[in-house]
Amino acid sequence: MRRKLAALLLCLLLVFQMSAVPSEAAGTVYFTAVNKNVLSLSDATMPFWSGGYLYVPSTIFTGVGRDLGVSYYPNIAKQTVLLYVDDTIYSSLVFDLNKDYAIDNEGNMYFQKPIQRGGVIFLPISLIARCFGLLYSTVEVDRGYLVWVRNPDMDMEERYFADAARSRMDYEYSQYLRNQGAAAEETVPEQSEPSVVTGQRIYLSMEAAESAAVSSLLDTLDRYDAQAAFYCTAGFLEEAGDLLRRMSAAGQAIGLIADAADDRPVTEQLEAGNRLLSQAASVKTRLAWIRNATAEAVAEAEAAGFCCLTPDLDRSAYPLSSTGAADTLFQRVTSRSGAVTVWLGDGANAAGLGSFLSAAEAADDRCLAMTETVS
């Protein structure tokens, strides 16, 4: 009798467990882990196989994925993705969403293309692991597979890690099922009139002075997915080739600085700057900022094909170095209509810029890189 009751209870438990799984749930899922962290499980970011290669979401290089030591910089305007090792641009991979290959810093081509699904870019993990010295494994687990990307110093067997991560995978799987169930129950909302985009286009321009400061400013821009223009002196162009290459790859604008009070003609200074820029980053620019500008100097530069910056707001006398300064600048910018160009000089730091970008983001304003048609 006890055996019959136990068998009946077991059958009821199995029926209950089976009924709790939504019919739409995937039979096989791919979990993702980076070093010791199991990432959130969703259809939008789930790894997949294509053309014999395993693809992982590029988002694994953000958040806790930064511990891998590989930085990730998408350039929406150029439709490219840059991966490179922290502190050096010399180990890098560039993926172009419109091409079926990737290129490293030495010009080598790898015919493994990026794939975009929805708003997520997926990249071939085998190529990335080979180029940047990472390890990856695909481990079979209870509900599918675990894709484990890690640094070489992770001293743990694959199966031991999978066993240690089991409870976290169980949690992520339950959340995955819950989200799928919520999505299935969603009703189509009533259509409403499209919202009007009121955000401004802001073109921040600043002087690239000291390398460490510029590096911090670039980090801040990356964090907010924002862009700006960096106008460079000859000294900076000679000494900061790595930062110039990072600017170019990340879609930041690069300009040149000339001084009308110098003995050399403005055009000669700008052409010399372009030679240095070409040597450092294999690019040239027509953007120019002229100190002590005169009408004659500006006319001379423009006749030579350069676009001289004439900002709507010259804030070089007011360093963007604090939250208060950021609030003041934001008020000045939002008091104007349309696109606004701002010259910050060399007084911006990461804290002040971050506060300004945070305010701009909250207001749906866009901070863009200067172009040759906006000056």
Side-chain angles (χ1 to χ4, degrees):
M1 186 65 179
R2 290 181 179 177
R3 290 181 179 179
K4 291 182 179 180
L5 287 174
L8 178 60
L9 289 173
L10 179 60
C11 290
L12 290 173
L13 178 61
L14 289 173
V15 170
F16 174 77
Q17 288 178 337
M18 292 175 62
S19 63
V21 179
S23 58
E24 296 85 358
T28 301
V29 299
Y30 280 79
F31 297 91
T32 310
V34 173
N35 285 333
K36 296 181 180 180
N37 299 283
V38 176
L39 307 184
S40 298
L41 180 66
S42 72
D43 290 328
T45 58
M46 194 178 295
F48 61 88
W49 291 87
S50 177
Y53 298 109
L54 178 62
Y55 279 78
V56 298
S58 55
T59 50
I60 70 167
F61 298 103
T62 62
V64 296
R66 290 183 180 273
D67 292 340
L68 291 170
V70 178
S71 293
Y72 161 71
Y73 295 102
N75 188 325
I76 298 174
K78 293 184 178 180
Q79 291 287 285
T80 59
V81 171
L82 167 69
L83 296 177
Y84 76 86
V85 175
D86 289 351
D87 301 327
T88 173
I89 198 71
Y90 293 107
S91 295
S92 64
L93 270 178
V94 176
F95 292 89
D96 191 321
L97 295 178
N98 299 313
K99 294 182 173 62
D100 60 355
Y101 58 85
I103 300 178
D104 67 14
N105 52 284
E106 296 180 349
N108 299 313
M109 299 175 66
Y110 305 91
F111 288 89
Q112 297 180 38
K113 63 181 180 180
I115 297 176
Q116 186 166 11
R117 289 188 172 182
V120 181
I121 299 171
F122 290 81
L123 303 173
I125 187 58
S126 59
L127 173 60
I128 295 170
R130 184 167 76 251
C131 289
F132 298 111
L134 301 177
L135 299 177
Y136 78 97
S137 305
T138 305
V139 187
E140 187 172 3
V141 294
D142 289 344
R143 297 181 176 88
Y145 296 90
L146 170 64
V147 179
W148 183 27
V149 183
R150 61 198 184 278
N151 295 112
D153 58 359
M154 282 292 296
D155 188 17
M156 184 180 293
E157 293 289 339
E158 299 168 2
R159 176 49 57 189
Y160 291 155
F161 176 78
D163 290 342
R166 180 176 299 170
S167 61
R168 184 66 192 183
M169 286 189 287
D170 288 343
Y171 171 80
E172 293 298 341
Y173 188 73
S174 66
Q175 293 297 109
Y176 170 71
L177 294 181
R178 181 177 301 176
N179 293 337
Q180 282 205 338
E185 294 174 1
E186 284 183 355
T187 57
V188 178
E190 296 182 2
Q191 292 186 349
S192 58
E193 295 183 4
S195 58
V196 179
V197 178
T198 58
Q200 285 182 293
R201 288 171 293 142
I202 305 169
Y203 297 89
L204 297 178
S205 301
M206 60 197 84
E207 178 178 341
E210 198 269 327
S211 294
V214 171
S215 181
S216 296
L217 293 171
L218 288 171
D219 290 342
T220 304
L221 289 166
D222 292 334
R223 192 176 307 120
Y224 288 93
D225 195 21
Q227 295 172 318
F230 289 87
Y231 287 79
C232 309
T233 62
F236 187 87
L237 293 169
E238 290 174 341
E239 299 171 359
D242 56 340
L243 291 175
L244 293 168
R245 288 185 286 272
R246 176 180 173 183
M247 291 176 193
S248 177
Q252 308 298 342
I254 301 174
L256 306 172
I257 293 179
D259 193 338
D262 194 281
D263 293 335
R264 294 179 301 162
V266 165
T267 52
E268 182 179 329
Q269 297 176 54
L270 295 174
E271 288 165 0
N274 253 337
R275 286 193 294 272
L276 292 171
L277 179 58
S278 179
Q279 292 170 8
S282 299
V283 296
K284 290 187 176 182
T285 183
R286 295 202 300 155
L287 300 178
W289 168 253
I290 301 179
R291 293 174 177 161
N292 303 305
T294 62
E296 293 78 7
V298 171
E300 177 187 346
E302 291 179 344
F306 290 94
C307 298
C308 298
L309 176 64
T310 54
D312 298 312
L313 290 174
D314 185 347
R315 300 289 298 178
S316 57
Y318 307 93
L320 181 59
S321 56
S322 65
T323 300
D327 291 342
T328 301
L329 175 59
F330 188 71
Q331 292 174 12
R332 297 288 189 273
V333 169
T334 53
S335 67
R336 294 171 172 264
S337 59
V340 182
T341 57
V342 183
W343 173 244
L344 297 174
D346 62 355
N349 64 18
L353 179 62
S355 296
F356 178 82
L357 294 177
S358 177
E361 184 179 65
D364 290 329
D365 294 338
R366 293 175 296 160
C367 291
L368 306 172
M370 189 72 68
T371 67
E372 296 173 358
T373 57
V374 180
S375 59

